[in-house]
Amino acid sequence: MNEKKLPHIVTVGRHRIGHVIQDVARSWSGAARVTHISASFEDAVRAVLALDEKRAIDALVVAGASGAHVRERVEIPVAMVEVRGLGLLEALMTAKQQTTPERPRVGLVSFDVPSVQLTQFDALFGLGVAQFVYHGAEDAADCVRQLLAAKVGAVVAPGLVADLAQQAGIPSVLLYSEAAVRQALDDALLLARHRLAERDRHQWLETVLGELQDGVVAIDTQGRIRALNQPMADLLGAPMASLHGQLLSQIAPALMQGQPLRLHESSEEVVHIATRTAMRMLVLRRAPLIEGGVAAGSLLICRDPAVIQRADRSLRANQRQRGAGVRWSLDEFLGSSAVVVRARQLALQYAVSDSTVLILGESGTGKEMIAQGIHRASRRAAQPFLAVNCAALAESLLEAELFGYDEGAFTGARRGGKTGLVEAAHTGTLFLDEIGDMPLALQSRLLRVLQEREVMRVGSTTPVPVDVRVIAATHADLAALVERGEFRRDLYYRLAVLRLRTPSLVEHGTADVAEMAQAMLSRHIEMGKIQRAEAAELQKLLRRLLTMADAHVWPGNVRELDNWIERLVACREFLREGLDETGDARLREVFPECDVARIHPQEPPKQQQARLKETRQQAERERVREVLESVQGDQTRACEILGVSRATLWRRLKQG
């Protein structure tokens, strides 16, 4: 066995008993590490405690009055060298052989009290044994004087008395035999192995508790602290060592206010405890500690609600990253028109490849749905799908979000750095929405990712290899942006390896619009927003609404249609009341957009769409100018108010 794993046994004794113990203990060297302390009484106690601080003691072997003194003053398992019947008789016989006719009596010195059994035995067989007692080192010399006065010819006594008697001319036999010492060492070895195993288990427990961020404390049935970790000590506001053995109810009464727990029962509650600085709200979980089938105490775990909330957010975010957040499949890109069928076919074909995809289409035409569908149909379906809107973040934030950063890369950088979306999407798919709004400086960094298949964090000099598929989308005319020098030509060709255009809603045709509207209405029914009994009337209203909107060009595309369905559900009571008499009037009141197309009833749909797009752009320009005037030309403040990026702000201004 490893020397460090051998139990440590300490033997204690002076005089003759000390020599016997040392001689016998040599044969235990392979089973234990044995250390001898040649001291007695209080000197022995001090020596034991000092040694235990340096090298933990697993068990003690002691004897006599000195051994009893030590046992009462240390918290270490103790094996006493016991005087047993056969051994005592052998010692008495040996002593009898050393008596003389002038001094025929045999003396027996015992610690504390004489042996009642020996008195009875002596009366029955007439051994002539005189018994004496002593209580400590201070009594030893007086005990020898009593032996001399009683004309004892030989004595059986503990080590100190035996040595003093020998010096006084009385032959002496040690009270403790070698067999008794061996038995004590055997007992000590069992105690030591048990204590060593307990110490190992305790170290395991301390390691586990030390790694937990939650505050953990174990108490016994009296409520005294038996084990705790550093976070709990911090909560209680005291050093760990000083808390052991303390009543938890006196330190943190709020933790002890719950009802007693039954076996195999646990509880969870919110508590408030006072710390050094303020009141803290904690989530407290209590569970019973079972030992031998009965409750031996309780385990209390205190968690910071903020930690639970962060963990919940992290789990949900991670679940989304691992593919659970991919909501859409290609089958859910609804429609039976030729343009929709063609888009689905191309997307399914692109899913087989790992090449970069560029999805073009107006806002609200389902570009991210197609991107998710391609990911879900690809070999990367079980891997992360991460999305970022390039127009929603300022340049510095977008750079950190995409490429990550090392610790100390800039003021306020998170300790340990941050993994960017490019790294986080490794083996999966990265969806870059509104790629046309990506700043030119970041376009060059993205180009390197696509060309070299590696990413370098902000502030780092070490590139990290990545295996990531990029799907980009935009409503802008990238080719035109390239010609105007607003988008890198080389990046454009890297992105546009596979191209796909999502059709506008007006290109879908009325049949597709009706199919999508019905699917949206069914989703409201499934979510419980509509009772199934109301479904028939709502479907009738929906058909009338779509008939009225037959010439509508849907400038907001699918988002606008979803807006209409939600409005229909919200206003269903108002619309249902006038379903027969004034149904169309009420529908027009709730959906004034239906009359927009009637302004130019003979105008072809594409011309209506272009006119509406121009009107919308004009409204956007006017809104931008109004906001800029209100903030005295502060473009950063204007972007915050409008909720757009600086690139989008400039694009809207230049559209005129």
Side-chain angles (χ1 to χ4, degrees):
M1 184 183 288
N2 189 323
E3 177 70 18
K4 291 184 178 179
K5 283 294 184 181
L6 288 176
H8 184 204
I9 297 176
V10 172
T11 58
V12 182
R14 288 181 63 193
H15 311 294
R16 200 180 304 182
I17 181 60
H19 297 307
V20 173
I21 291 175
Q22 284 182 279
D23 290 341
V24 175
R26 289 191 181 96
S27 60
W28 262 259
S29 59
R33 292 178 293 136
V34 181
T35 303
H36 183 73
I37 292 177
S38 182
S40 59
F41 295 99
E42 201 56 39
D43 290 340
V45 172
R46 285 193 290 269
V48 166
L49 294 176
L51 181 59
D52 191 42
E53 286 186 2
K54 296 178 182 178
R55 292 185 297 162
I57 299 173
D58 297 309
L60 293 172
V61 175
V62 297
S66 175
H69 182 87
V70 172
R71 179 174 59 183
E72 292 175 357
R73 288 162 175 78
V74 298
E75 294 184 357
I76 301 171
V78 174
M80 294 288 293
V81 180
E82 301 285 353
V83 180
R84 304 183 186 276
L86 184 59
L88 178 58
L89 289 177
E90 289 177 350
L92 290 171
M93 289 174 61
T94 302
K96 184 65 176 177
Q97 293 170 0
Q98 298 182 48
T99 60
T100 63
E102 293 79 16
R103 291 178 175 271
R105 299 184 69 188
V106 173
L108 173 64
V109 179
S110 303
F111 171 66
D112 229 9
V113 293
S115 170
V116 177
Q117 291 80 6
L118 184 60
T119 300
Q120 295 172 348
F121 190 82
D122 185 42
L124 185 61
F125 293 97
L127 297 177
V129 176
Q131 292 198 64
F132 302 85
V133 296
Y134 86 116
H135 305 286
E138 64 278 4
D139 297 335
D142 187 55
C143 185
V144 172
R145 285 192 290 271
Q146 292 179 36
L147 291 172
L148 290 170
K151 296 185 179 181
V152 169
V155 65
V156 176
L160 177 58
V161 177
D163 287 348
L164 291 175
Q166 196 76 33
Q167 293 171 13
I170 303 174
S172 62
V173 177
L174 186 63
L175 178 61
Y176 309 109
S177 65
E178 290 187 1
V181 174
R182 289 194 187 92
Q183 184 61 53
L185 282 166
D186 283 339
D187 294 343
L189 187 59
L190 291 175
L191 292 171
R193 285 173 175 168
H194 178 73
R195 184 175 173 85
L196 184 61
E198 285 293 322
R199 184 179 291 113
D200 286 344
R201 282 194 291 270
H202 187 69
Q203 287 178 348
W204 276 84
L205 177 62
E206 285 187 340
T207 301
V208 172
L209 291 179
E211 291 300 318
L212 294 176
Q213 294 182 350
D214 301 330
V216 182
V217 60
I219 58 174
D220 60 20
T221 52
Q222 283 76 45
R224 293 190 181 278
I225 297 173
R226 295 304 176 196
L228 76 164
N229 63 355
Q230 189 59 52
M232 177 57 79
D234 293 340
L235 281 173
L236 299 179
M240 285 179 61
S242 68
L243 291 168
H244 283 279
Q246 299 293 316
L247 286 170
L248 185 59
S249 59
Q250 294 180 355
I251 302 169
L255 299 182
M256 297 294 289
Q257 290 178 356
Q259 296 295 320
L261 298 175
R262 295 191 295 269
L263 290 180
H264 311 297
E265 180 187 50
S266 61
S267 69
E268 193 165 276
E269 58 190 301
V270 175
V271 298
H272 294 81
I273 68 170
T275 65
R276 292 177 180 176
T277 55
M279 291 293 293
R280 287 282 302 276
M281 182 176 71
L282 300 169
V283 178
L284 171 65
R285 182 173 180 81
R286 296 189 304 138
L289 293 172
I290 311 301
E291 188 175 302
V294 298
S298 299
L299 182 71
L300 284 70
I301 303 172
C302 292
R303 302 197 68 186
D304 187 339
V307 173
I308 299 175
Q309 292 164 356
R310 284 197 299 270
D312 177 63
R313 288 195 297 269
S314 177
L315 286 170
R316 286 188 281 110
N318 186 61
Q319 184 184 38
R320 183 175 180 86
Q321 289 178 13
R322 300 308 301 178
V326 178
R327 298 172 51 199
W328 309 107
S329 67
L330 291 174
D331 291 337
E332 292 171 282
F333 189 71
L334 299 178
S336 305
S337 59
V339 289
V340 175
V341 171
R342 181 62 177 159
R344 278 200 301 266
Q345 289 175 340
L346 277 175
L348 191 60
Q349 186 66 40
Y350 293 169
V352 180
S353 170
D354 270 343
S355 298
T356 306
V357 180
L358 178 62
I359 303 173
L360 303 170
E362 295 179 15
S363 179
T365 55
K367 296 188 289 296
E368 183 166 0
M369 179 183 285
I370 287 288
Q372 289 189 15
I374 292 173
H375 172 80
R376 196 166 181 174
S378 74
R379 66 177 182 84
R380 300 173 182 264
Q383 303 307 316
F385 176 90
L386 302 182
V388 63
N389 189 316
C390 299
L393 299 173
E395 181 176 338
S396 59
L397 291 177
L398 181 60
E399 182 179 33
E401 191 72 14
L402 276 177
F403 306 109
Y405 55 81
D406 272 355
E407 181 175 344
F410 49 84
T411 302
R414 181 191 301 175
R415 180 178 296 179
K418 181 181 184 293
T419 301
L421 292 178
V422 174
E423 276 186 76
H426 178 62
T427 71
T429 302
L430 178 62
F431 176 58
L432 301 175
D433 199 7
E434 301 297 351
I435 188 69
D437 290 318
M438 177 177 281
L440 282 168
L442 300 188
Q443 291 179 25
S444 60
R445 296 200 63 178
L446 177 61
L447 179 63
R448 180 174 181 81
V449 171
L450 296 176
Q451 288 184 163
E452 307 299 332
R453 295 295 167 180
E454 62 184 27
V455 62
M456 191 178 298
R457 294 185 180 188
V458 177
S460 174
T461 57
T462 305
V464 178
V466 288
D467 170 21
V468 60
R469 184 186 196 178
V470 172
I471 300 178
T474 182
H475 71 280
D477 185 348
L478 280 191
L481 292 178
V482 168
E483 293 304 320
R484 294 202 299 267
E486 297 174 10
F487 199 86
R488 291 183 64 108
R489 188 180 299 274
D490 45 9
L491 178 59
Y492 172 71
Y493 288 116
R494 281 287 179 183
L495 290 172
V497 176
L498 304 175
R499 307 184 198 189
L500 187 150
R501 192 179 72 84
T502 52
S504 64
L505 198 54
V506 74
E507 293 177 272
H508 276 256
T510 55
D512 284 1
V513 171
E515 181 184 353
M516 284 187 275
Q518 183 59 53
M520 292 172 183
L521 187 61
S522 298
R523 191 160 62 246
H524 281 277
I525 296 173
E526 292 170 2
M527 292 168 62
K529 293 183 178 180
I530 306 171
Q531 299 298 322
R532 293 194 177 274
E534 302 178 279
E537 287 185 347
L538 276 172
Q539 287 170 352
K540 185 176 179 181
L541 277 170
L542 178 60
R543 286 193 294 271
R544 291 179 68 167
L545 174 62
L546 293 179
T547 300
M548 291 172 55
D550 184 54
H552 190 59
V553 293
W554 303 103
N557 293 298
V558 178
R559 287 199 188 94
E560 184 181 5
L561 179 60
D562 194 33
N563 170 290
W564 280 34
I565 300 303
E566 190 165 348
R567 199 185 318 170
L568 181 71
V569 172
C571 300
R572 62 186 182 276
E573 293 294 338
F574 173 75
L575 295 171
R576 192 163 49 198
E577 289 174 4
L579 186 60
D580 295 327
E581 300 82 6
T582 60
D584 288 354
R586 291 198 175 192
L587 280 170
R588 287 193 178 91
E589 184 178 349
V590 175
F591 296 93
E593 300 95 326
C594 292
D595 288 328
V596 172
R598 301 179 186 277
I599 298 172
H600 303 279
Q602 305 303 318
E603 192 174 43
K606 286 189 176 180
Q607 292 182 17
Q608 289 185 24
Q609 186 176 11
R611 177 176 47 76
L612 287 170
K613 183 177 181 181
E614 182 180 347
T615 302
R616 184 171 64 245
Q617 289 176 348
Q618 178 63 30
E620 288 175 350
R621 286 195 299 273
E622 291 177 359
R623 173 62 176 158
V624 168
R625 291 192 182 100
E626 288 176 4
V627 172
L628 282 171
E629 287 177 6
S630 68
V631 294
Q632 289 77 45
D634 187 338
Q635 295 180 1
T636 301
R637 180 66 181 140
C639 288
E640 292 176 358
I641 294 172
L642 294 168
V644 299
S645 67
R646 191 179 291 267
T648 302
L649 184 75
W650 274 104
R651 189 182 70 245
R652 289 181 181 179
L653 285 171
K654 289 188 291 183
Q655 281 173 350

